[in-house]
Amino acid sequence: MGIILEKTPIILNKIPGGTIALTTADFFINWARKSSIWPLTFGLACCAIEMMAAYATRFDFDRFGVFPRPTPRQADLMLVAGTVVKKMASPLIRIYRQMPEPKFVIAMGSCADCGGPFYDSYSVVKGVDKIMPVDVYLAGCPPRPEALMYAVQKLQEKIGKMEIKENSGATAGQESGARREL
Amino acid sequence: MPIEEKTFEKPLELDQMFVNMGPQHPSTHGVLRIALHMEGEVITKAEPDVGYLHRGIEKLFENRTYTQGLVLTDRLDYLSSMHNNLAYCIAVEKLMGIEVPARAQYIRALVSELNRIASHLIFFGTYGVDIGAFTPFLHAFREREMIMDLFEMLCGARLLYTYMRIGGVAKNLPEDWTAKCREFTGFFPKRLKEYDALLSFNPIFMDRTANIGIISKEEALDWGLSGPVLRATGVNYDVRKFEPYSFYDKLEFEIPLGQTGSTWDRYYCRMREMAQSAGIIDQCLEALSKQDMPPDIIAKGVPKILKPLKGQAYGHIEASRGDLGFYAVSEGEFSPYRMHIKAPTFINTAILQKILVGAKIADVVAILGSFDIVLGEMDR
Ligand code: SF4
């Protein structure tokens, strides 16, 4: 992901032997963050297969700097791809807490949004936002890999608006109920 | 200080250790948890813990009509949705005494075999990743995308199709579909050879898988295994041959068998099954292109609202992972009184507690991966 100069708050000054660029810390840090979103390799149910397809040959998520990591300690995006059931809820929260700040969550698929086809099941958590803050909701059962790409782009937009003085992720403040608009 | 002589006489105490594998582990293919007790690096006890994806599907069937229930079956074994659709339809058709027209039967066999290839390709790709080879994953998904395109032409969905209907299938094959499918079956056997060169006969891969996780014939029968896990031990059992459905008795194919029941055998059984499936697809296409085949794709006189009489029926098929069965009990209502699903992975995984004992910790992932588990079906 390069930097598009026209859309950037940047001052360029020629000096002998090169150019000096002056920009805001917010812009620079956000640019770095959004160009290397590393999700956790973690699938819950059917949606995970479409997530895998997104990493694989045709869709190739690496282009966006999205590269799966197997451990929560190295990940900054949690893709909740699938149905969250009550037994899985507490391990899920534990994994979420193990991720370093700033961290983001995409609820992938109708199950993670609201329970989906299992809206009346006794054992399903009706939406992962009941247990953790969510940045982007992605509808579909299962969403296509293209849709997942769109969700990641939306997340990048959101990261682009973060300010360092808040010193945490785009999800900051969501736990108290106040959501930031895109 | 002089060293006491006794120190050397004392036997070394082996470290007892407890390792919790999962539910979030990259190679459990979902959310299986295995509690491993170890002495050094040898496993002394393994306890699989299921239920991290228990969605209560069997109970939900009781709140859905028979037609709505079809949608839930897709979500069981999401890697081979067509098989789940088919087994459910067969059970309900038996319950209601519906005869499926010939064209629909061939289409059903055709799409199930395509789905079998797609499912085994995922196994091939992810098993490579488990063992530490990433390239097969990219190859497998390249071919799988071709099948996904075919399915998308057929029913608009990539993963969960709901293509079958009680009494037949939803749509006829679209134009150009046959040609595109033939293109795939012509191209695929060459790719299988490539996979063999890439992974199957790779010496490192064989060393890692050939002598571990061995299941004997007797054990396999005692534990009630089915599918490639059973056939890898040399037991010749395949529902397609022994209780043919969907005109499998009119199609010619072989059942690949393994010899030793090792992890590699289980892997290679699946690879050979894919070649057979490609052959079956060709035969189905041949049969479907005959002019004298009636164009019906759904049985005549299937009511819009299904209300079977009191009774029960069991329909089972050979899914990608084994013998998948649906047991429907009707009390004469719009929805089933009880729907039980005999899930092959659930039964196959039980043997893990036996064969993991004595294995090394490094082999656990290789053994587990060779079972090709899908948690959606196991936990239901
Ligand atoms: S939203 Fe649909 S595809 Fe995704 S996990 Fe739920 S049932 Fe499966």
Side-chain angles (χ1 to χ4, degrees), chain A residues 41-42 44 46 49-50 52-53 56-59 70 83 85 87-88 95 117-118 120-123 141 144, chain B residues 24 26 49-56 60 64 75 78-79 126 138 141-142 144-145 149 152 158-159:
Chain A
T41 319
F42 172 48
L44 286 165
C46 354
I49 307 299
E50 288 297 64
M52 271 157 60
T57 322
R58 185 180 289 178
F59 298 99
T83 325
V85 307
K87 190 171 176 181
M88 193 59 204
I95 296 165
F118 310 103
D120 55 349
S121 165
Y122 56 86
S123 63
C141 182
R144 300 174 59 92
Chain B
Q24 187 263 326
D49 178 12
V50 298
Y52 287 96
L53 194 56
H54 175 65
R55 303 188 275 198
L60 289 183
R64 306 279 199 274
R75 274 107 190 132
Y78 35 80
L79 288 181
T126 51
L138 299 175
F141 268 77
R142 182 187 59 194
R144 184 173 172 270
E145 286 298 335
D149 283 348
E152 221 179 314
R158 276 170 52 89
L159 190 69

Side-chain angles (χ1 to χ4, degrees), chain A residues 70-129:
Chain A
T71 152
R73 317 261 177 212
Q74 299 171 349
D76 43 19
L77 166 66
M78 188 173 198
L79 271 167
V80 185
T83 325
V84 183
V85 307
K86 285 181 184 154
K87 190 171 176 181
M88 193 59 204
S90 62
L92 201 67
I93 295 171
R94 197 158 150 192
I95 296 165
Y96 179 72
R97 296 232 165 99
Q98 283 173 351
M99 285 164 51
E101 289 281 354
K103 52 193 168 190
F104 312 98
V105 178
I106 292 181
M108 181 185 181
S110 314
C111 282
D113 291 346
C114 62
F118 310 103
Y119 66 97
D120 55 349
S121 165
Y122 56 86
S123 63
V124 172
V125 177
K126 314 292 179 324
V128 70
D129 54 359

Side-chain angles (χ1 to χ4, degrees), chain B residues 358-373:
Chain B
K360 295 261 171 30
I361 178 85
D363 295 337
V364 173
V365 169
I367 296 175
L368 179 63
S370 73
F371 278 76
D372 193 15
I373 53 172

Side-chain angles (χ1 to χ4, degrees), chain B residues 232-363:
Chain B
T233 65
V235 180
N236 187 352
Y237 175 74
D238 187 313
V239 186
R240 289 177 291 175
K241 281 270 190 226
F242 287 82
E243 219 176 293
Y245 53 92
S246 289
F247 287 0
Y248 271 109
D249 41 352
K250 300 190 185 176
L251 302 165
E252 266 174 42
F253 61 100
E254 278 168 27
I255 301 173
L257 295 179
Q259 278 150 9
T260 54
S262 69
T263 303
W264 189 83
D265 264 346
R266 287 194 280 281
Y267 161 85
Y268 202 56
C269 250
R270 294 199 177 90
M271 303 307 280
R272 278 156 62 205
E273 260 180 31
M274 285 201 270
Q276 294 298 327
S277 297
I280 300 178
I281 293 168
D282 273 336
Q283 292 172 42
C284 291
L285 287 175
E286 199 58 45
L288 281 168
S289 60
K290 280 195 192 115
Q291 293 300 326
D292 54 353
M293 172 93 64
D296 300 354
I297 49 162
I298 198 144
K300 286 209 178 69
V302 181
K304 284 256 154 48
I305 296 167
L306 302 175
K307 196 176 175 191
L309 298 175
K310 222 170 168 174
Q312 42 186 302
Y314 180 66
H316 68 151
I317 64 160
E318 185 70 32
S320 327
R321 287 170 186 73
D323 184 349
L324 169 75
F326 277 75
Y327 178 58
V329 182
S330 157
E331 285 281 304
E333 298 288 327
F334 292 115
S335 36
Y337 175 74
R338 173 89 171 95
M339 181 70 75
H340 177 69
I341 301 144
K342 183 208 167 267
T345 33
F346 178 66
I347 294 164
N348 289 354
T349 320
I351 202 174
L352 277 180
Q353 30 188 311
K354 175 120 197 276
I355 60 168
L356 282 185
V357 173
K360 295 261 171 30
I361 178 85
D363 295 337

Side-chain angles (χ1 to χ4, degrees), chain B residues 52-105:
Chain B
Y52 287 96
L53 194 56
H54 175 65
R55 303 188 275 198
I57 291 186
E58 287 187 3
K59 187 75 191 161
L60 289 183
F61 273 115
E62 296 165 21
N63 292 334
R64 306 279 199 274
T65 64
Y66 285 92
T67 329
Q68 289 170 339
L70 194 58
V71 181
L72 291 177
T73 61
D74 281 304
R75 274 107 190 132
L76 284 165
D77 178 354
Y78 35 80
L79 288 181
S80 52
S81 306
M82 289 291 186
H83 295 133
N84 291 269
N85 286 177
L86 181 54
Y88 177 78
C89 287
I90 287 180
V92 178
E93 279 153 14
K94 265 194 195 166
L95 197 61
M96 301 192 57
I98 297 173
E99 271 299 314
V100 180
R103 191 177 195 85
Q105 296 277 31

Side-chain angles (χ1 to χ4, degrees), chain B residues 52 119 174 178 194 208:
Chain B
Y52 287 96
S119 166
T178 319
E194 203 177 284
R208 274 212 64 185

